[in-house]
Amino acid sequence: MSEKHINLTLYVWRQKNAQDEGGFVTYEAKHVSTEMSFLEMLDVVNEGLIRKGEEPIAMDHDCREGICGQCGVVINGRPHGPRERTTTCQLHMRSFEDGDTITIEPFRATAFPVIKDLIVDRGAFDRIIAAGGFISAPTGSAPDGNAIPVKKTCADLAMDAAACIGCGACVAACPNASAMLFVSAKISQLALLPQGQPERYSRVKDMVAQMDDEEFGTCTNHGECEAACPKAVSLENIARMNRDFIWSSLTYRPESGGSGGA
Amino acid sequence: MELKANAPDGPLEKKWEKHKFDMKLVNPANKRKYKVIVVGSGLAGGAAAASMAELGYQVECFCYQDSPRRAHSIAAQGGINGAKNYHNDGDSVLRLFYDTIKGGDFRAREANVYRLAEVSNNIIDQCVAQGVPFAREYGGLLDNRSFGGALVSRTFYARGQTGQQLLLGAYQALERQIGLGTIKMHTRSEMLEVIIIDGVAKGIVVRDMVTGQVQSYMGDAVVLATGGYGNVMYLATYAKGCNASAIWRAYKKGAAFANPCYTQIHPTCIPVTGDHQSKLTLMSESLRNDGRIWVPKKKEDCKKPVDQIPEEDRDYYLERKYPTYGNLAPRDVSSRAAKQVCDEGRGVGETGLGVYLDFEAATKRLGAHKIEEKYGNLFEMYDRITGEDPYKVPMRIYPATHYTMGGLWVDYNLMSTVPGLFVLGEANFSDHGANRLGASALMQGLADGYFVAPYTVGNYLAGLKPGSCPTADHPEAKAAEAEVSGRVSRLLGINGKETPTYFHRELGKILWEYCGMARNDAGLKKALQLLPELRQRFWEDVKVPGSGADLNQSLELAGRVADFLELGELMCRDALERRESCGGHFREEWQSPEGEAVRDDENFCHVAAWEYTGDNSAPNRHTEELKFENVHLATRSYK
Ligand SMILES: Cc1cc2nc3c(=O)[nH]c(=O)nc-3n(C[C@H](O)[C@H](O)[C@H](O)COP(=O)(O)OP(=O)(O)OC[C@H]3O[C@@H](n4cnc5c(N)ncnc54)[C@H](O)[C@@H]3O)c2cc1C
Ligand code: SF4
Ligand code: FES
């Protein structure tokens, strides 16, 4: 692709820490190469700030290839920005035009408090997994891999759900800040596999209970989550989870000495 | 310093079994009285922490990301090896062992590599049981693909996201234990010092990356699983936060650093586009199963659109030079071949530093649908980054730093030269010799974490009195904390003019030039002169705004760059002293007339492990002789 250079105005959310009120600050980003990634554009702005002795814009990122789920900001009102199925780190500046203004904010949700600038605390996701998002298979206890055949279509659907990177864009996109897409992705993956059957109904019950404790909102079927999801995790997973949840409420019997987590 | 490998004697295939029997066991009632510190939550650390907590030990686990699920292992694409022989194509533990030894150019320890091959099958079983959605065939059984350096199909995969799925399996096992209260997880925590008491590792010092608080955590054993140091090169396929600080601090506290010059340059990465480049993205090696690599035969064709270069003017140089392995030649060999054709002026793309990876033939043979099913997500990733559609034009690729075979020296028990300090996964040097084969790092990380450390760390703990771990007010802990705080204030106080990234980039340029794909005496000497100068400039002129008592990303980076600057020097020193070519270490002075690497088994069939002696004195080079009792030292040929 041929390289171009563009000039941009950025409105960036700056917030010193969780207690600070925070607000937008304007920066000019000049001569930005369209070959740069969005984060590389911010790197250049940040290097300029450091040279002036100012604190750079704090932002989360790590792999910069769309798989770790650590990055994620709201760009012009959209979590991860304008390009479909693309994380913030994979977004490139060729998606923007010369003279654009770009608003950059953190993911906003009560369950994701801001730590600093664009960085939020998504620890709630880990706590939901700890509550039941696993198959209890202690090391050493496994039978031969091929002793558990898995129908290809089930394996493929499980993989579709398992592609979730835990970024939290679904929560940020939802008007209710619901975490249903994230939670249902893990529930679906494990419910689709034969290995996941023994804990299937305790898992959904425990994960949903933890989700409710974490101050995520309820799902009212807006579908914004699916649209924002960089990994195309489908709303079907929510339907699957709801079915399992209802079944678990109808049939649940507490077991003595269960295998679950917290 | 003595390098005792502690590999058990007896026949190769009985060593691990015998060792497991000989090791001491901890009384189950006492296990909870031992605390194990695990730094890192990648495949190695996550698997080790979960497995040891399942056994009953108290575990504290640390990572620098906001969640253990984000460790760099998540980015591995292609797959994980296992010697299952599900395809009846002649695979076995012995063959996986042999391929790994040969792939490593006969520079790894036989006993360790055999154990790795042996437990590879347990790993696949374990991951399946956890619900890792490996690719399946229509009959419901596990599917495999081929990878570089092997003629059997033994690589298990989950689309192009194998590392992600394996890591999520380990992460879920870890979270289960966190939920049960047996693991205490510390995220956004950076380990910056090891605490050594009477010569034994007893804890670590950690900086809380949100509050800036510097604190000691004590344990009966310390496990480092902090990944590789390839970011020393600045541009690499690693996640941005990957660092060498944990192992570098351990080195400076007495842990020997083995083979630092063994770095892997991966042949299939997306080429650099400009100065702003912050990292390089790998295109999985699995693409080489179906993609053909070529450049134009004539220089003048290099800028032409591909459809104007007729078949007879294309040079499929890997197929030409290595007819047996062709496009599946191992990484070091393929990378050097790419560099060679580009050096000849036959590279493609704007910069001329690129070769084509072409799917036209495979698309004709298999159909576009099959190609999409196999590689769809990789093609999409390529399109996002380059703005080009690989279904229409061939990909352009170029080698980039990808993996570090070197790392802290460990014995058969994965213990470093500091008693009580264990090192797992990419952070150690153990199993890949001078070059790692594809799909073997995931295997090694999980082998170390699930199936080796839980036994060997247990054996070590069995020799300690339960409940004897010192507390965090021990003078050595306080001294280590003071060192960390001192470094933080020093970095903040320099108030120079250049950013930490500037120095990192400069460091990367020097290392890529002089200690990259090809090295020579003069270049390495030049680097050894440039690096101390750069290091001095860093300490005089780096600018780190903000405070230490706060989330401060410039400070984090500056600390890592400071350590990389020192490590870079050790790499060059090691490369200079290793006067032979082997695996990823190619010394131009030691090559055959056809440009292949020439080993010197007489003088260099050993591991080089470096001992720190002080900031202003040269480190000592120690050696561990490698004895090959089961394989015949051969010239590695892929022709
Ligand atoms: C793009 C890419 C693709 C790859 N594909 C494959 C493949 O297909 N097959 C294969 O076998 N291998 C592959 N590899 C190699 C493989 O992924 C790695 O070697 C392996 O995952 C390393 O695992 P690890 O557990 O040792 O370390 P990592 O996964 O890197 O984990 C390191 C952990 O240590 C923590 N940490 C680091 N420093 C500190 C510190 N100072 N303080 C606290 N915590 C710290 C991190 O937070 C993290 O949790 C690939 C590598 C890359 C870069
Ligand atoms: S479901 Fe999608 S948006 Fe939500 S966390 Fe997972 S990957 Fe991110
Ligand atoms: S930085 Fe890893 S997904 Fe964006």
PDB file of all heavy atoms in Angstrom, chain A residues 40 47 59 62 64-65 85 94 116 126 139 144-145 186 195, chain B residues 51 54 86 125 128 171-172 240-241 278-279 384-385 499 553:
ATOM      1  N   GLU A  40       0.990   2.970  17.418  1.00  0.00           N
ATOM      2  CA  GLU A  40       2.260   3.600  17.023  1.00  0.00           C
ATOM      3  C   GLU A  40       2.081   5.105  16.879  1.00  0.00           C
ATOM      4  O   GLU A  40       2.971   5.891  17.216  1.00  0.00           O
ATOM      5  CB  GLU A  40       2.786   2.973  15.727  1.00  0.00           C
ATOM      6  CG  GLU A  40       3.400   1.598  15.994  1.00  0.00           C
ATOM      7  CD  GLU A  40       3.706   0.763  14.758  1.00  0.00           C
ATOM      8  OE1 GLU A  40       3.246   1.120  13.650  1.00  0.00           O
ATOM      9  OE2 GLU A  40       4.383  -0.258  14.901  1.00  0.00           O
ATOM     10  N   GLU A  47       6.135  10.064  22.812  1.00  0.00           N
ATOM     11  CA  GLU A  47       7.563  10.400  22.837  1.00  0.00           C
ATOM     12  C   GLU A  47       7.753  11.903  22.841  1.00  0.00           C
ATOM     13  O   GLU A  47       8.643  12.433  23.505  1.00  0.00           O
ATOM     14  CB  GLU A  47       8.283   9.756  21.653  1.00  0.00           C
ATOM     15  CG  GLU A  47       8.453   8.266  21.883  1.00  0.00           C
ATOM     16  CD  GLU A  47       9.714   7.733  21.235  1.00  0.00           C
ATOM     17  OE1 GLU A  47      10.805   8.273  21.462  1.00  0.00           O
ATOM     18  OE2 GLU A  47       9.577   6.775  20.474  1.00  0.00           O
ATOM     19  N   MET A  59      -1.662   3.910  28.533  1.00  0.00           N
ATOM     20  CA  MET A  59      -2.595   3.039  27.804  1.00  0.00           C
ATOM     21  C   MET A  59      -2.128   1.593  27.945  1.00  0.00           C
ATOM     22  O   MET A  59      -0.941   1.308  28.057  1.00  0.00           O
ATOM     23  CB  MET A  59      -2.634   3.432  26.333  1.00  0.00           C
ATOM     24  CG  MET A  59      -1.278   3.362  25.653  1.00  0.00           C
ATOM     25  SD  MET A  59      -1.372   3.971  23.967  1.00  0.00           S
ATOM     26  CE  MET A  59       0.320   3.747  23.414  1.00  0.00           C
ATOM     27  N   ASP A  62      -0.091  -4.930  24.814  1.00  0.00           N
ATOM     28  CA  ASP A  62       1.055  -5.823  25.005  1.00  0.00           C
ATOM     29  C   ASP A  62       1.430  -6.510  23.696  1.00  0.00           C
ATOM     30  O   ASP A  62       2.410  -6.149  23.076  1.00  0.00           O
ATOM     31  CB  ASP A  62       0.798  -6.842  26.119  1.00  0.00           C
ATOM     32  CG  ASP A  62       2.102  -7.386  26.709  1.00  0.00           C
ATOM     33  OD1 ASP A  62       3.113  -6.692  26.625  1.00  0.00           O
ATOM     34  OD2 ASP A  62       2.112  -8.505  27.252  1.00  0.00           O
ATOM     35  N   ARG A  64       0.193  -6.409  20.689  1.00  0.00           N
ATOM     36  CA  ARG A  64       0.035  -5.591  19.483  1.00  0.00           C
ATOM     37  C   ARG A  64      -0.237  -6.449  18.251  1.00  0.00           C
ATOM     38  O   ARG A  64       0.164  -6.101  17.134  1.00  0.00           O
ATOM     39  CB  ARG A  64       1.250  -4.681  19.259  1.00  0.00           C
ATOM     40  CG  ARG A  64       1.374  -3.654  20.370  1.00  0.00           C
ATOM     41  CD  ARG A  64       2.195  -2.465  19.946  1.00  0.00           C
ATOM     42  NE  ARG A  64       2.180  -1.454  21.010  1.00  0.00           N
ATOM     43  CZ  ARG A  64       2.606  -0.226  20.861  1.00  0.00           C
ATOM     44  NH1 ARG A  64       3.106   0.178  19.721  1.00  0.00           N
ATOM     45  NH2 ARG A  64       2.533   0.626  21.862  1.00  0.00           N
ATOM     46  N   GLU A  65      -0.848  -7.595  18.465  1.00  0.00           N
ATOM     47  CA  GLU A  65      -1.295  -8.324  17.280  1.00  0.00           C
ATOM     48  C   GLU A  65      -2.680  -8.907  17.459  1.00  0.00           C
ATOM     49  O   GLU A  65      -3.032  -9.886  16.809  1.00  0.00           O
ATOM     50  CB  GLU A  65      -0.277  -9.351  16.800  1.00  0.00           C
ATOM     51  CG  GLU A  65       0.317 -10.271  17.829  1.00  0.00           C
ATOM     52  CD  GLU A  65       1.449 -11.115  17.227  1.00  0.00           C
ATOM     53  OE1 GLU A  65       2.533 -10.572  16.961  1.00  0.00           O
ATOM     54  OE2 GLU A  65       1.225 -12.294  16.996  1.00  0.00           O
ATOM     55  N   ARG A  85     -14.233  -6.057  13.591  1.00  0.00           N
ATOM     56  CA  ARG A  85     -13.420  -7.203  13.991  1.00  0.00           C
ATOM     57  C   ARG A  85     -11.927  -6.869  14.051  1.00  0.00           C
ATOM     58  O   ARG A  85     -11.081  -7.606  13.576  1.00  0.00           O
ATOM     59  CB  ARG A  85     -13.678  -8.390  13.040  1.00  0.00           C
ATOM     60  CG  ARG A  85     -15.082  -8.944  13.252  1.00  0.00           C
ATOM     61  CD  ARG A  85     -15.288 -10.245  12.541  1.00  0.00           C
ATOM     62  NE  ARG A  85     -15.322 -10.057  11.100  1.00  0.00           N
ATOM     63  CZ  ARG A  85     -14.540 -10.717  10.261  1.00  0.00           C
ATOM     64  NH1 ARG A  85     -13.673 -11.593  10.685  1.00  0.00           N
ATOM     65  NH2 ARG A  85     -14.650 -10.504   8.973  1.00  0.00           N
ATOM     66  N   ARG A  94      -4.444   4.043   8.134  1.00  0.00           N
ATOM     67  CA  ARG A  94      -5.082   4.216   6.834  1.00  0.00           C
ATOM     68  C   ARG A  94      -6.601   4.209   6.960  1.00  0.00           C
ATOM     69  O   ARG A  94      -7.301   4.525   6.004  1.00  0.00           O
ATOM     70  CB  ARG A  94      -4.578   3.178   5.822  1.00  0.00           C
ATOM     71  CG  ARG A  94      -4.792   1.740   6.150  1.00  0.00           C
ATOM     72  CD  ARG A  94      -4.168   0.841   5.061  1.00  0.00           C
ATOM     73  NE  ARG A  94      -2.773   0.509   5.358  1.00  0.00           N
ATOM     74  CZ  ARG A  94      -2.404  -0.511   6.146  1.00  0.00           C
ATOM     75  NH1 ARG A  94      -3.285  -1.285   6.703  1.00  0.00           N
ATOM     76  NH2 ARG A  94      -1.129  -0.736   6.360  1.00  0.00           N
ATOM     77  N   LYS A 116      -5.878   4.793  35.329  1.00  0.00           N
ATOM     78  CA  LYS A 116      -5.179   6.009  34.920  1.00  0.00           C
ATOM     79  C   LYS A 116      -5.427   6.226  33.429  1.00  0.00           C
ATOM     80  O   LYS A 116      -5.363   5.262  32.656  1.00  0.00           O
ATOM     81  CB  LYS A 116      -3.676   5.864  35.176  1.00  0.00           C
ATOM     82  CG  LYS A 116      -2.871   7.112  34.823  1.00  0.00           C
ATOM     83  CD  LYS A 116      -1.436   6.999  35.305  1.00  0.00           C
ATOM     84  CE  LYS A 116      -0.687   8.301  35.013  1.00  0.00           C
ATOM     85  NZ  LYS A 116       0.638   8.333  35.626  1.00  0.00           N
ATOM     86  N   ASP A 126     -11.549 -11.929  35.434  1.00  0.00           N
ATOM     87  CA  ASP A 126     -10.801 -13.048  36.020  1.00  0.00           C
ATOM     88  C   ASP A 126     -11.619 -13.698  37.141  1.00  0.00           C
ATOM     89  O   ASP A 126     -11.625 -14.920  37.275  1.00  0.00           O
ATOM     90  CB  ASP A 126      -9.457 -12.569  36.602  1.00  0.00           C
ATOM     91  CG  ASP A 126      -8.464 -12.172  35.521  1.00  0.00           C
ATOM     92  OD1 ASP A 126      -8.529 -12.748  34.414  1.00  0.00           O
ATOM     93  OD2 ASP A 126      -7.631 -11.282  35.777  1.00  0.00           O
ATOM     94  N   THR A 139      -3.709 -31.759  36.846  1.00  0.00           N
ATOM     95  CA  THR A 139      -2.592 -32.270  36.058  1.00  0.00           C
ATOM     96  C   THR A 139      -2.352 -33.751  36.335  1.00  0.00           C
ATOM     97  O   THR A 139      -2.289 -34.160  37.487  1.00  0.00           O
ATOM     98  CB  THR A 139      -1.312 -31.483  36.407  1.00  0.00           C
ATOM     99  OG1 THR A 139      -1.592 -30.107  36.191  1.00  0.00           O
ATOM    100  CG2 THR A 139      -0.143 -31.915  35.537  1.00  0.00           C
ATOM    101  N   ASP A 144      -6.099 -40.655  27.321  1.00  0.00           N
ATOM    102  CA  ASP A 144      -5.495 -40.372  26.023  1.00  0.00           C
ATOM    103  C   ASP A 144      -6.360 -39.377  25.233  1.00  0.00           C
ATOM    104  O   ASP A 144      -7.584 -39.468  25.247  1.00  0.00           O
ATOM    105  CB  ASP A 144      -5.345 -41.667  25.221  1.00  0.00           C
ATOM    106  CG  ASP A 144      -4.646 -41.412  23.901  1.00  0.00           C
ATOM    107  OD1 ASP A 144      -3.400 -41.334  23.915  1.00  0.00           O
ATOM    108  OD2 ASP A 144      -5.332 -41.245  22.872  1.00  0.00           O
ATOM    109  N   GLY A 145      -5.692 -38.450  24.562  1.00  0.00           N
ATOM    110  CA  GLY A 145      -6.404 -37.401  23.832  1.00  0.00           C
ATOM    111  C   GLY A 145      -7.469 -37.947  22.902  1.00  0.00           C
ATOM    112  O   GLY A 145      -8.582 -37.407  22.840  1.00  0.00           O
ATOM    113  N   LYS A 186     -17.368 -18.294  27.182  1.00  0.00           N
ATOM    114  CA  LYS A 186     -16.678 -19.373  27.916  1.00  0.00           C
ATOM    115  C   LYS A 186     -17.660 -20.504  28.241  1.00  0.00           C
ATOM    116  O   LYS A 186     -17.346 -21.693  28.082  1.00  0.00           O
ATOM    117  CB  LYS A 186     -16.055 -18.800  29.201  1.00  0.00           C
ATOM    118  CG  LYS A 186     -15.154 -19.728  29.970  1.00  0.00           C
ATOM    119  CD  LYS A 186     -14.102 -20.439  29.119  1.00  0.00           C
ATOM    120  CE  LYS A 186     -13.062 -19.533  28.516  1.00  0.00           C
ATOM    121  NZ  LYS A 186     -12.219 -20.240  27.511  1.00  0.00           N
ATOM    122  N   GLN A 195     -15.972 -32.951  27.242  1.00  0.00           N
ATOM    123  CA  GLN A 195     -15.235 -32.828  28.506  1.00  0.00           C
ATOM    124  C   GLN A 195     -15.935 -31.883  29.471  1.00  0.00           C
ATOM    125  O   GLN A 195     -15.707 -31.923  30.681  1.00  0.00           O
ATOM    126  CB  GLN A 195     -13.814 -32.276  28.269  1.00  0.00           C
ATOM    127  CG  GLN A 195     -12.945 -32.993  27.269  1.00  0.00           C
ATOM    128  CD  GLN A 195     -13.094 -32.421  25.858  1.00  0.00           C
ATOM    129  OE1 GLN A 195     -14.194 -32.421  25.308  1.00  0.00           O
ATOM    130  NE2 GLN A 195     -12.003 -31.962  25.270  1.00  0.00           N
TER     131      GLN A 195
ATOM    132  N   SER B  51      -0.435 -26.537  38.804  1.00  0.00           N
ATOM    133  CA  SER B  51      -0.142 -27.924  39.177  1.00  0.00           C
ATOM    134  C   SER B  51       0.369 -28.020  40.605  1.00  0.00           C
ATOM    135  O   SER B  51       0.021 -28.949  41.336  1.00  0.00           O
ATOM    136  CB  SER B  51       0.904 -28.525  38.235  1.00  0.00           C
ATOM    137  OG  SER B  51       0.472 -28.407  36.904  1.00  0.00           O
ATOM    138  N   GLU B  54      -2.479 -27.568  42.957  1.00  0.00           N
ATOM    139  CA  GLU B  54      -3.295 -28.788  43.007  1.00  0.00           C
ATOM    140  C   GLU B  54      -2.673 -29.815  43.950  1.00  0.00           C
ATOM    141  O   GLU B  54      -3.369 -30.568  44.626  1.00  0.00           O
ATOM    142  CB  GLU B  54      -3.426 -29.409  41.606  1.00  0.00           C
ATOM    143  CG  GLU B  54      -4.379 -28.655  40.693  1.00  0.00           C
ATOM    144  CD  GLU B  54      -4.190 -29.023  39.213  1.00  0.00           C
ATOM    145  OE1 GLU B  54      -3.363 -29.910  38.907  1.00  0.00           O
ATOM    146  OE2 GLU B  54      -4.869 -28.407  38.371  1.00  0.00           O
ATOM    147  N   TYR B  86      -0.397 -40.468  15.845  1.00  0.00           N
ATOM    148  CA  TYR B  86      -1.793 -40.744  15.496  1.00  0.00           C
ATOM    149  C   TYR B  86      -1.949 -40.948  13.988  1.00  0.00           C
ATOM    150  O   TYR B  86      -2.950 -41.453  13.533  1.00  0.00           O
ATOM    151  CB  TYR B  86      -2.690 -39.579  15.915  1.00  0.00           C
ATOM    152  CG  TYR B  86      -3.047 -39.527  17.389  1.00  0.00           C
ATOM    153  CD1 TYR B  86      -3.404 -38.321  17.991  1.00  0.00           C
ATOM    154  CD2 TYR B  86      -3.052 -40.679  18.182  1.00  0.00           C
ATOM    155  CE1 TYR B  86      -3.757 -38.247  19.330  1.00  0.00           C
ATOM    156  CE2 TYR B  86      -3.399 -40.611  19.531  1.00  0.00           C
ATOM    157  CZ  TYR B  86      -3.751 -39.399  20.095  1.00  0.00           C
ATOM    158  OH  TYR B  86      -4.105 -39.323  21.417  1.00  0.00           O
ATOM    159  N   ASP B 125      -2.792 -34.892  26.098  1.00  0.00           N
ATOM    160  CA  ASP B 125      -3.910 -35.455  26.868  1.00  0.00           C
ATOM    161  C   ASP B 125      -4.439 -34.435  27.878  1.00  0.00           C
ATOM    162  O   ASP B 125      -5.648 -34.236  28.005  1.00  0.00           O
ATOM    163  CB  ASP B 125      -3.455 -36.707  27.636  1.00  0.00           C
ATOM    164  CG  ASP B 125      -2.931 -37.803  26.704  1.00  0.00           C
ATOM    165  OD1 ASP B 125      -3.262 -37.759  25.502  1.00  0.00           O
ATOM    166  OD2 ASP B 125      -2.193 -38.688  27.181  1.00  0.00           O
ATOM    167  N   VAL B 128      -6.383 -31.612  26.188  1.00  0.00           N
ATOM    168  CA  VAL B 128      -7.696 -32.067  25.709  1.00  0.00           C
ATOM    169  C   VAL B 128      -8.664 -32.143  26.890  1.00  0.00           C
ATOM    170  O   VAL B 128      -9.796 -31.659  26.831  1.00  0.00           O
ATOM    171  CB  VAL B 128      -7.590 -33.440  25.002  1.00  0.00           C
ATOM    172  CG1 VAL B 128      -8.976 -34.022  24.734  1.00  0.00           C
ATOM    173  CG2 VAL B 128      -6.820 -33.306  23.692  1.00  0.00           C
ATOM    174  N   TYR B 171      -4.566 -21.111  32.182  1.00  0.00           N
ATOM    175  CA  TYR B 171      -5.135 -19.973  32.935  1.00  0.00           C
ATOM    176  C   TYR B 171      -6.385 -20.403  33.703  1.00  0.00           C
ATOM    177  O   TYR B 171      -6.580 -20.045  34.866  1.00  0.00           O
ATOM    178  CB  TYR B 171      -5.445 -18.857  31.945  1.00  0.00           C
ATOM    179  CG  TYR B 171      -6.484 -17.839  32.381  1.00  0.00           C
ATOM    180  CD1 TYR B 171      -6.165 -16.852  33.315  1.00  0.00           C
ATOM    181  CD2 TYR B 171      -7.762 -17.844  31.835  1.00  0.00           C
ATOM    182  CE1 TYR B 171      -7.123 -15.909  33.688  1.00  0.00           C
ATOM    183  CE2 TYR B 171      -8.709 -16.907  32.200  1.00  0.00           C
ATOM    184  CZ  TYR B 171      -8.392 -15.941  33.134  1.00  0.00           C
ATOM    185  OH  TYR B 171      -9.325 -15.010  33.505  1.00  0.00           O
ATOM    186  N   GLN B 172      -7.213 -21.216  33.059  1.00  0.00           N
ATOM    187  CA  GLN B 172      -8.434 -21.651  33.733  1.00  0.00           C
ATOM    188  C   GLN B 172      -8.103 -22.576  34.907  1.00  0.00           C
ATOM    189  O   GLN B 172      -8.726 -22.482  35.970  1.00  0.00           O
ATOM    190  CB  GLN B 172      -9.383 -22.312  32.727  1.00  0.00           C
ATOM    191  CG  GLN B 172     -10.037 -21.251  31.849  1.00  0.00           C
ATOM    192  CD  GLN B 172     -10.597 -21.747  30.527  1.00  0.00           C
ATOM    193  OE1 GLN B 172     -10.687 -21.000  29.580  1.00  0.00           O
ATOM    194  NE2 GLN B 172     -10.976 -23.014  30.451  1.00  0.00           N
ATOM    195  N   LYS B 240       5.066  -6.267  23.655  1.00  0.00           N
ATOM    196  CA  LYS B 240       5.900  -5.119  24.006  1.00  0.00           C
ATOM    197  C   LYS B 240       6.476  -5.199  25.411  1.00  0.00           C
ATOM    198  O   LYS B 240       7.549  -4.686  25.679  1.00  0.00           O
ATOM    199  CB  LYS B 240       5.092  -3.825  23.865  1.00  0.00           C
ATOM    200  CG  LYS B 240       4.789  -3.433  22.422  1.00  0.00           C
ATOM    201  CD  LYS B 240       6.030  -3.112  21.617  1.00  0.00           C
ATOM    202  CE  LYS B 240       6.583  -1.732  21.967  1.00  0.00           C
ATOM    203  NZ  LYS B 240       7.836  -1.511  21.174  1.00  0.00           N
ATOM    204  N   GLY B 241       5.733  -5.805  26.312  1.00  0.00           N
ATOM    205  CA  GLY B 241       6.191  -5.813  27.709  1.00  0.00           C
ATOM    206  C   GLY B 241       7.208  -6.892  28.032  1.00  0.00           C
ATOM    207  O   GLY B 241       7.789  -6.890  29.116  1.00  0.00           O
ATOM    208  N   SER B 278       6.939  -0.405  15.822  1.00  0.00           N
ATOM    209  CA  SER B 278       7.137  -0.683  17.245  1.00  0.00           C
ATOM    210  C   SER B 278       7.306  -2.160  17.522  1.00  0.00           C
ATOM    211  O   SER B 278       7.795  -2.564  18.567  1.00  0.00           O
ATOM    212  CB  SER B 278       5.961  -0.166  18.061  1.00  0.00           C
ATOM    213  OG  SER B 278       4.772  -0.829  17.690  1.00  0.00           O
ATOM    214  N   LYS B 279       6.835  -3.000  16.609  1.00  0.00           N
ATOM    215  CA  LYS B 279       7.049  -4.435  16.770  1.00  0.00           C
ATOM    216  C   LYS B 279       6.846  -5.095  15.415  1.00  0.00           C
ATOM    217  O   LYS B 279       6.366  -4.459  14.475  1.00  0.00           O
ATOM    218  CB  LYS B 279       6.106  -5.025  17.811  1.00  0.00           C
ATOM    219  CG  LYS B 279       4.701  -5.222  17.316  1.00  0.00           C
ATOM    220  CD  LYS B 279       3.997  -6.337  18.090  1.00  0.00           C
ATOM    221  CE  LYS B 279       4.269  -7.692  17.526  1.00  0.00           C
ATOM    222  NZ  LYS B 279       3.992  -8.804  18.376  1.00  0.00           N
ATOM    223  N   ARG B 384      -4.944  -6.722   7.537  1.00  0.00           N
ATOM    224  CA  ARG B 384      -5.115  -5.590   8.455  1.00  0.00           C
ATOM    225  C   ARG B 384      -3.847  -4.787   8.588  1.00  0.00           C
ATOM    226  O   ARG B 384      -3.867  -3.570   8.639  1.00  0.00           O
ATOM    227  CB  ARG B 384      -5.476  -6.109   9.840  1.00  0.00           C
ATOM    228  CG  ARG B 384      -6.922  -6.187  10.005  1.00  0.00           C
ATOM    229  CD  ARG B 384      -7.314  -6.277  11.444  1.00  0.00           C
ATOM    230  NE  ARG B 384      -8.590  -6.921  11.438  1.00  0.00           N
ATOM    231  CZ  ARG B 384      -8.778  -8.202  11.673  1.00  0.00           C
ATOM    232  NH1 ARG B 384      -7.779  -8.959  12.041  1.00  0.00           N
ATOM    233  NH2 ARG B 384      -9.966  -8.711  11.578  1.00  0.00           N
ATOM    234  N   ILE B 385      -2.719  -5.487   8.665  1.00  0.00           N
ATOM    235  CA  ILE B 385      -1.470  -4.780   8.934  1.00  0.00           C
ATOM    236  C   ILE B 385      -0.926  -4.112   7.676  1.00  0.00           C
ATOM    237  O   ILE B 385      -0.443  -2.991   7.719  1.00  0.00           O
ATOM    238  CB  ILE B 385      -0.445  -5.756   9.543  1.00  0.00           C
ATOM    239  CG1 ILE B 385      -0.953  -6.154  10.927  1.00  0.00           C
ATOM    240  CG2 ILE B 385       0.940  -5.145   9.632  1.00  0.00           C
ATOM    241  CD1 ILE B 385      -0.141  -7.217  11.597  1.00  0.00           C
ATOM    242  N   THR B 499      14.136   9.791  25.153  1.00  0.00           N
ATOM    243  CA  THR B 499      13.148   8.869  25.719  1.00  0.00           C
ATOM    244  C   THR B 499      13.751   7.478  25.883  1.00  0.00           C
ATOM    245  O   THR B 499      14.694   7.114  25.164  1.00  0.00           O
ATOM    246  CB  THR B 499      11.937   8.748  24.776  1.00  0.00           C
ATOM    247  OG1 THR B 499      12.382   8.130  23.558  1.00  0.00           O
ATOM    248  CG2 THR B 499      11.339  10.098  24.442  1.00  0.00           C
ATOM    249  N   GLN B 553       4.505   4.228  33.029  1.00  0.00           N
ATOM    250  CA  GLN B 553       4.970   3.331  31.968  1.00  0.00           C
ATOM    251  C   GLN B 553       6.356   3.698  31.448  1.00  0.00           C
ATOM    252  O   GLN B 553       7.088   2.819  30.990  1.00  0.00           O
ATOM    253  CB  GLN B 553       3.932   3.272  30.840  1.00  0.00           C
ATOM    254  CG  GLN B 553       2.634   2.597  31.321  1.00  0.00           C
ATOM    255  CD  GLN B 553       1.544   2.529  30.274  1.00  0.00           C
ATOM    256  OE1 GLN B 553       1.307   3.512  29.556  1.00  0.00           O
ATOM    257  NE2 GLN B 553       0.841   1.410  30.180  1.00  0.00           N
TER     258      GLN B 553
END
